[in-house]
Coordinates of all heavy atoms in Angstrom, one line a residue:
D653 N 1.2 -4.5 22.4 CA 0.7 -3.3 23.3 C 0.6 -2.1 22.5 O -0.3 -1.3 22.8 CB 1.7 -3.2 24.5 CG 1.4 -4.2 25.5 OD1 0.3 -4.7 25.5 OD2 2.3 -4.4 26.4
A654 N 1.5 -1.9 21.6 CA 1.5 -0.6 20.8 C 0.2 -0.5 20.0 O -0.2 0.6 19.6 CB 2.7 -0.5 19.9
R655 N -0.5 -1.6 19.7 CA -1.7 -1.5 19.0 C -3.0 -1.6 19.8 O -4.0 -2.0 19.2 CB -1.7 -2.6 17.9 CG -0.4 -2.7 17.1 CD -0.1 -1.4 16.4 NE -0.8 -1.1 15.3 CZ -1.0 0.1 14.7 NH1 -0.5 1.1 15.3 NH2 -1.6 0.2 13.6
R656 N -2.9 -1.3 21.1 CA -4.2 -1.4 21.8 C -5.1 -0.2 21.5 O -6.3 -0.2 21.9 CB -3.8 -1.4 23.3 CG -3.4 -2.8 23.7 CD -3.0 -2.8 25.2 NE -2.4 -4.2 25.5 CZ -3.1 -5.3 25.7 NH1 -4.4 -5.3 25.8 NH2 -2.5 -6.4 25.9
T657 N -4.6 0.8 20.9 CA -5.5 1.8 20.3 C -5.1 1.8 18.8 O -3.9 2.0 18.5 CB -5.3 3.2 20.8 OG1 -4.0 3.5 21.0 CG2 -6.0 3.3 22.2
V658 N -6.1 1.8 18.0 CA -5.8 1.9 16.5 C -7.0 2.6 15.9 O -8.0 2.8 16.4 CB -5.8 0.5 15.8 CG1 -4.6 -0.2 16.1 CG2 -7.0 -0.3 16.1
E659 N -6.8 3.2 14.7 CA -7.8 3.8 14.0 C -9.0 2.9 13.8 O -8.8 1.7 13.5 CB -7.4 4.4 12.6 CG -6.2 5.3 12.6 CD -4.9 4.6 12.3 OE1 -4.6 3.7 13.1 OE2 -4.3 4.9 11.3
T660 N -10.2 3.5 13.9 CA -11.4 2.6 13.6 C -11.4 2.0 12.3 O -11.8 0.8 12.1 CB -12.6 3.5 13.8 OG1 -12.7 3.8 15.2 CG2 -13.9 2.8 13.3
S661 N -10.9 2.7 11.2 CA -10.9 2.0 9.9 C -10.0 0.8 9.8 O -10.3 -0.2 9.2 CB -10.4 3.1 8.8 OG -9.2 3.6 9.3
R662 N -8.9 0.9 10.5 CA -8.0 -0.3 10.5 C -8.7 -1.5 11.3 O -8.6 -2.7 10.9 CB -6.7 0.0 11.3 CG -5.7 0.6 10.4 CD -4.4 0.8 11.3 NE -3.4 1.4 10.6 CZ -2.5 0.9 9.8 NH1 -2.5 -0.4 9.8 NH2 -1.6 1.6 9.1
F663 N -9.3 -1.1 12.4 CA -9.9 -2.1 13.2 C -11.0 -2.8 12.4 O -11.1 -4.0 12.4 CB -10.5 -1.4 14.5 CG -11.1 -2.3 15.5 CD1 -10.3 -2.9 16.5 CD2 -12.4 -2.6 15.5 CE1 -10.8 -3.8 17.4 CE2 -13.0 -3.4 16.5 CZ -12.2 -4.0 17.4
L664 N -11.9 -2.0 11.8 CA -12.9 -2.5 11.0 C -12.4 -3.5 9.8 O -12.9 -4.6 9.6 CB -13.7 -1.4 10.4 CG -14.9 -1.8 9.5 CD1 -16.0 -2.6 10.4 CD2 -15.6 -0.5 9.0
F665 N -11.4 -3.0 9.1 CA -10.8 -3.7 8.1 C -10.2 -5.1 8.7 O -10.4 -6.1 8.1 CB -9.7 -2.9 7.4 CG -8.8 -3.7 6.4 CD1 -9.5 -4.3 5.3 CD2 -7.5 -3.8 6.6 CE1 -8.7 -5.0 4.3 CE2 -6.7 -4.5 5.6 CZ -7.4 -5.1 4.5
A666 N -9.6 -5.0 9.8 CA -8.9 -6.1 10.4 C -9.9 -7.3 10.7 O -9.6 -8.4 10.7 CB -8.2 -5.8 11.7
L667 N -11.2 -6.9 10.9 CA -12.2 -8.0 11.3 C -12.4 -8.9 10.1 O -12.9 -10.0 10.4 CB -13.5 -7.3 11.7 CG -13.5 -6.5 12.9 CD1 -14.8 -5.8 13.2 CD2 -13.0 -7.3 14.2
G668 N -12.1 -8.5 8.9 CA -12.2 -9.5 7.8 C -13.6 -9.7 7.4 O -13.9 -10.8 6.9
I669 N -14.4 -8.7 7.5 CA -15.8 -8.9 7.0 C -15.8 -8.9 5.5 O -15.0 -8.2 4.8 CB -16.6 -7.7 7.5 CG1 -16.5 -7.6 9.0 CG2 -18.1 -7.8 7.0 CD1 -17.2 -6.4 9.6
R670 N -16.5 -9.8 4.9 CA -16.6 -9.8 3.4 C -16.9 -8.5 2.8 O -17.7 -7.7 3.3 CB -17.6 -10.8 2.9 CG -17.1 -12.2 2.7 CD -18.1 -13.1 2.1 NE -17.8 -13.2 0.6 CZ -18.5 -14.0 -0.2 NH1 -19.5 -14.6 0.3 NH2 -18.2 -14.0 -1.4
H671 N -16.2 -8.2 1.7 CA -16.4 -6.9 1.0 C -15.9 -5.6 1.7 O -16.0 -4.5 1.2 CB -17.9 -6.6 0.6 CG -18.4 -7.8 -0.2 ND1 -17.9 -8.1 -1.4 CD2 -19.4 -8.7 0.0 CE1 -18.6 -9.2 -1.9 NE2 -19.5 -9.6 -1.0
I672 N -15.4 -5.8 3.0 CA -14.9 -4.6 3.7 C -13.4 -4.6 3.4 O -12.7 -5.1 4.3 CB -15.3 -4.6 5.1 CG1 -16.8 -4.8 5.3 CG2 -14.8 -3.3 5.8 CD1 -17.7 -3.6 4.7
G673 N -13.0 -4.1 2.3 CA -11.5 -3.9 2.1 C -11.1 -2.6 2.7 O -11.9 -2.0 3.5
E674 N -9.9 -2.2 2.4 CA -9.4 -1.0 3.1 C -10.2 0.2 2.8 O -10.5 1.1 3.6 CB -8.0 -0.7 2.6 CG -7.0 -1.5 3.4 CD -5.6 -1.2 2.8 OE1 -5.0 -0.2 3.2 OE2 -5.3 -1.9 1.9
T675 N -10.6 0.3 1.5 CA -11.3 1.5 1.0 C -12.7 1.6 1.7 O -13.0 2.7 2.3 CB -11.4 1.5 -0.5 OG1 -10.2 1.3 -1.1 CG2 -12.0 2.8 -1.0
N676 N -13.4 0.5 1.7 CA -14.7 0.5 2.3 C -14.6 0.8 3.8 O -15.5 1.5 4.4 CB -15.5 -0.7 2.0 CG -16.1 -0.7 0.6 OD1 -16.3 0.4 0.0 ND2 -16.3 -1.8 0.0
A677 N -13.7 0.2 4.4 CA -13.5 0.4 5.8 C -13.2 1.8 6.1 O -13.8 2.4 7.1 CB -12.3 -0.5 6.4
K678 N -12.4 2.5 5.3 CA -12.2 4.0 5.5 C -13.5 4.7 5.3 O -13.8 5.6 6.1 CB -11.1 4.4 4.5 CG -9.7 4.2 5.0 CD -8.9 5.4 4.6 CE -7.5 5.2 5.3 NZ -6.6 4.3 4.5
R679 N -14.2 4.4 4.3 CA -15.4 5.2 4.0 C -16.4 5.1 5.2 O -17.0 6.0 5.6 CB -16.1 4.6 2.7 CG -15.4 4.9 1.4 CD -16.1 4.2 0.3 NE -15.6 4.6 -1.0 CZ -15.6 3.7 -2.0 NH1 -16.1 2.5 -2.0 NH2 -15.1 4.2 -3.2
I680 N -16.6 3.9 5.6 CA -17.5 3.7 6.7 C -17.1 4.3 8.0 O -17.8 5.0 8.7 CB -17.8 2.1 7.0 CG1 -18.4 1.6 5.7 CG2 -18.6 1.9 8.2 CD1 -18.5 0.0 5.7
A681 N -15.7 4.2 8.2 CA -15.2 4.8 9.6 C -15.3 6.3 9.5 O -15.6 6.9 10.4 CB -13.7 4.4 9.7
R682 N -15.0 6.9 8.3 CA -15.1 8.3 8.2 C -16.5 8.8 8.3 O -16.8 9.9 8.7 CB -14.4 8.8 6.9 CG -12.9 8.7 6.9 CD -12.3 8.9 5.6 NE -10.9 8.9 5.7 CZ -10.1 9.0 4.6 NH1 -10.6 9.2 3.4 NH2 -8.8 9.0 4.8
H683 N -17.4 8.0 7.9 CA -18.8 8.4 7.9 C -19.3 8.5 9.4 O -19.9 9.4 9.8 CB -19.6 7.6 7.1 CG -21.1 8.0 6.9 ND1 -21.6 8.7 5.9 CD2 -22.1 7.7 7.7 CE1 -22.8 8.9 6.1 NE2 -23.2 8.4 7.2
F684 N -19.1 7.3 10.0 CA -19.6 7.2 11.4 C -18.7 7.6 12.5 O -19.1 7.7 13.7 CB -20.1 5.7 11.6 CG -21.2 5.2 10.7 CD1 -21.0 4.5 9.6 CD2 -22.5 5.7 10.9 CE1 -22.0 4.1 8.8 CE2 -23.6 5.3 10.1 CZ -23.3 4.5 9.0
T685 N -17.4 7.8 12.2 CA -16.4 8.2 13.0 C -16.1 7.1 14.2 O -14.9 6.9 14.4 CB -16.5 9.6 13.7 OG1 -17.5 9.6 14.6 CG2 -16.6 10.6 12.6
S686 N -17.0 6.6 14.9 CA -16.6 5.7 16.0 C -17.1 4.3 15.6 O -18.1 4.1 14.9 CB -17.3 6.2 17.3 OG -18.6 5.8 17.4
F687 N -16.3 3.3 16.2 CA -16.7 2.0 16.0 C -18.1 1.7 16.6 O -18.8 0.9 16.0 CB -15.6 1.1 16.5 CG -15.9 -0.4 16.2 CD1 -15.7 -0.9 14.9 CD2 -16.4 -1.3 17.2 CE1 -16.0 -2.2 14.6 CE2 -16.7 -2.6 16.8 CZ -16.5 -3.1 15.6
D688 N -18.3 2.2 17.7 CA -19.6 2.0 18.4 C -20.7 2.3 17.5 O -21.7 1.6 17.4 CB -19.7 2.8 19.7 CG -18.9 2.2 20.8 OD1 -18.4 1.1 20.6 OD2 -18.6 2.9 21.8
A689 N -20.6 3.5 16.8 CA -21.7 3.9 16.0 C -21.9 2.9 14.8 O -22.9 2.6 14.4 CB -21.4 5.3 15.5
I690 N -20.7 2.5 14.3 CA -20.8 1.5 13.1 C -21.5 0.2 13.5 O -22.4 -0.2 12.9 CB -19.4 1.2 12.7 CG1 -18.6 2.4 12.1 CG2 -19.4 0.1 11.6 CD1 -17.2 2.2 11.8
R691 N -21.1 -0.2 14.7 CA -21.7 -1.4 15.2 C -23.2 -1.3 15.4 O -24.0 -2.1 15.1 CB -21.0 -1.9 16.5 CG -21.4 -3.1 16.9 CD -20.8 -3.5 18.2 NE -21.3 -4.8 18.6 CZ -20.7 -5.6 19.5 NH1 -19.5 -5.2 20.0 NH2 -21.3 -6.7 19.9
A692 N -23.5 -0.2 16.1 CA -24.9 0.1 16.3 C -25.8 0.0 15.1 O -26.8 -0.6 15.0 CB -25.1 1.4 17.1
V693 N -25.2 0.7 14.1 CA -26.0 0.8 12.8 C -26.1 -0.6 12.2 O -27.2 -1.0 11.7 CB -25.4 1.9 11.9 CG1 -25.6 1.5 10.4 CG2 -25.9 3.3 12.2
A694 N -25.0 -1.3 12.2 CA -25.0 -2.6 11.4 C -25.8 -3.6 12.2 O -26.4 -4.5 11.6 CB -23.5 -3.1 11.3
T695 N -26.0 -3.4 13.5 CA -26.8 -4.4 14.3 C -28.2 -4.1 14.1 O -29.0 -5.0 14.1 CB -26.4 -4.2 15.8 OG1 -24.9 -4.3 15.9 CG2 -26.9 -5.4 16.6
E696 N -28.5 -2.8 14.1 CA -30.0 -2.4 14.0 C -30.5 -2.6 12.6 O -31.7 -2.8 12.4 CB -30.1 -0.9 14.4 CG -30.2 -0.8 15.9 CD -29.9 0.6 16.3 OE1 -30.3 1.6 15.5 OE2 -29.3 0.9 17.4
A697 N -29.6 -2.5 11.6 CA -30.1 -2.4 10.2 C -30.7 -3.8 9.9 O -30.3 -4.8 10.3 CB -28.9 -2.1 9.3
E698 N -31.9 -3.7 9.1 CA -32.5 -4.9 8.6 C -32.4 -4.9 7.1 O -32.8 -3.9 6.5 CB -33.9 -5.0 9.0 CG -34.0 -5.4 10.5 CD -35.4 -5.0 11.1 OE1 -36.3 -4.9 10.3 OE2 -35.4 -4.8 12.4
I699 N -32.0 -6.0 6.6 CA -31.9 -6.1 5.1 C -33.3 -6.2 4.6 O -34.1 -6.9 5.0 CB -31.1 -7.4 4.7 CG1 -29.7 -7.5 5.4 CG2 -31.0 -7.6 3.3 CD1 -28.9 -8.7 5.3
P700 N -33.6 -5.2 3.6 CA -34.9 -5.2 3.1 C -35.4 -6.5 2.5 O -34.5 -7.3 1.9 CB -34.8 -4.2 1.9 CG -33.6 -3.5 2.2 CD -32.6 -4.3 2.9
A701 N -36.7 -6.8 2.7 CA -37.2 -8.1 2.3 C -37.2 -8.3 0.8 O -37.0 -9.4 0.3 CB -38.6 -8.3 2.9
G702 N -37.5 -7.2 0.1 CA -37.5 -7.4 -1.4 C -37.7 -6.1 -2.0 O -37.6 -5.0 -1.4
K703 N -38.0 -6.1 -3.4 CA -38.2 -4.9 -4.1 C -39.3 -4.1 -3.4 O -40.3 -4.6 -3.0 CB -38.5 -5.2 -5.5 CG -37.3 -5.4 -6.3 CD -37.6 -5.1 -7.8 CE -36.3 -5.1 -8.5 NZ -35.4 -4.8 -9.1
G704 N -39.0 -2.8 -3.3 CA -40.1 -1.9 -2.8 C -39.9 -1.7 -1.4 O -40.3 -0.7 -0.8
D705 N -39.2 -2.5 -0.6 CA -38.9 -2.4 0.7 C -37.6 -1.5 0.9 O -36.6 -1.8 0.3 CB -38.6 -3.8 1.4 CG -38.4 -3.6 2.9 OD1 -38.3 -2.6 3.4 OD2 -38.2 -4.7 3.6
R706 N -37.7 -0.4 1.5 CA -36.6 0.5 1.6 C -35.7 0.2 2.8 O -34.7 0.9 3.1 CB -37.1 2.0 1.7 CG -37.6 2.5 0.4 CD -37.8 4.0 0.4 NE -36.5 4.7 0.4 CZ -36.4 6.0 0.2 NH1 -37.5 6.8 0.1 NH2 -35.2 6.6 0.2
G707 N -36.1 -0.7 3.6 CA -35.3 -1.1 4.8 C -35.6 -0.1 5.9 O -36.2 0.9 5.7
N708 N -35.2 -0.4 7.1 CA -35.4 0.5 8.3 C -34.4 1.7 8.2 O -33.5 1.7 7.3 CB -35.4 -0.3 9.6 CG -34.0 -0.9 9.9 OD1 -33.1 -0.7 9.1 ND2 -33.9 -1.6 10.9
S709 N -34.5 2.5 9.2 CA -33.7 3.7 9.0 C -32.2 3.4 9.2 O -31.3 4.1 8.5 CB -34.1 4.8 10.1 OG -33.8 4.3 11.4
A710 N -31.8 2.4 10.0 CA -30.4 2.1 10.1 C -29.9 1.6 8.8 O -28.8 1.9 8.4 CB -30.2 1.1 11.2
W711 N -30.7 0.8 8.2 CA -30.3 0.3 6.9 C -30.0 1.4 5.9 O -29.1 1.4 5.1 CB -31.4 -0.7 6.4 CG -31.1 -1.1 4.9 CD1 -31.7 -0.6 3.8 CD2 -30.2 -2.1 4.4 NE1 -31.3 -1.2 2.6 CE2 -30.3 -2.1 3.0 CE3 -29.3 -2.9 5.1 CZ2 -29.6 -3.0 2.2 CZ3 -28.5 -3.8 4.3 CH2 -28.7 -3.8 2.9
Q712 N -30.9 2.4 5.9 CA -30.7 3.5 5.0 C -29.6 4.3 5.3 O -28.8 4.8 4.4 CB -32.0 4.4 5.0 CG -33.1 3.8 4.3 CD -34.4 4.5 4.6 OE1 -34.5 5.7 4.9 NE2 -35.6 3.8 4.4
E713 N -29.3 4.4 6.7 CA -28.1 5.2 7.1 C -26.8 4.5 6.5 O -25.9 5.2 6.1 CB -28.0 5.4 8.5 CG -27.2 6.6 8.9 CD -27.2 6.8 10.4 OE1 -28.1 6.3 11.1 OE2 -26.2 7.4 10.9
L714 N -26.8 3.2 6.7 CA -25.6 2.4 6.3 C -25.4 2.6 4.7 O -24.3 2.8 4.2 CB -25.9 1.0 6.6 CG -24.7 0.0 6.6 CD1 -23.6 0.5 7.4 CD2 -25.1 -1.4 7.1
N715 N -26.5 2.6 4.0 CA -26.4 2.8 2.6 C -26.1 4.2 2.1 O -25.8 4.4 1.0 CB -27.8 2.4 2.0 CG -27.8 0.9 1.7 OD1 -27.4 0.4 0.7 ND2 -28.4 0.1 2.7

Side-chain angles (χ1 to χ4, degrees):
D653 278 342
R655 310 305 281 160
R656 284 182 188 271
T657 43
V658 287
E659 301 97 298
T660 289
S661 51
R662 276 183 183 271
F663 187 84
L664 182 61
F665 172 59
L667 295 179
I669 303 170
R670 267 190 99 177
H671 303 298
I672 309 293
E674 275 176 87
T675 307
N676 281 336
K678 276 221 172 86
R679 286 175 173 152
I680 296 170
R682 285 171 176 177
H683 185 95
F684 295 105
T685 69
S686 78
F687 184 75
D688 285 348
I690 295 170
R691 183 182 178 160
V693 152
T695 311
E696 279 161 33
E698 283 161 22
I699 302 170
K703 277 210 172 244
D705 182 356
R706 288 191 72 168
N708 61 4
S709 65
W711 171 260
Q712 286 171 24
E713 202 179 335
L714 197 53
N715 275 273

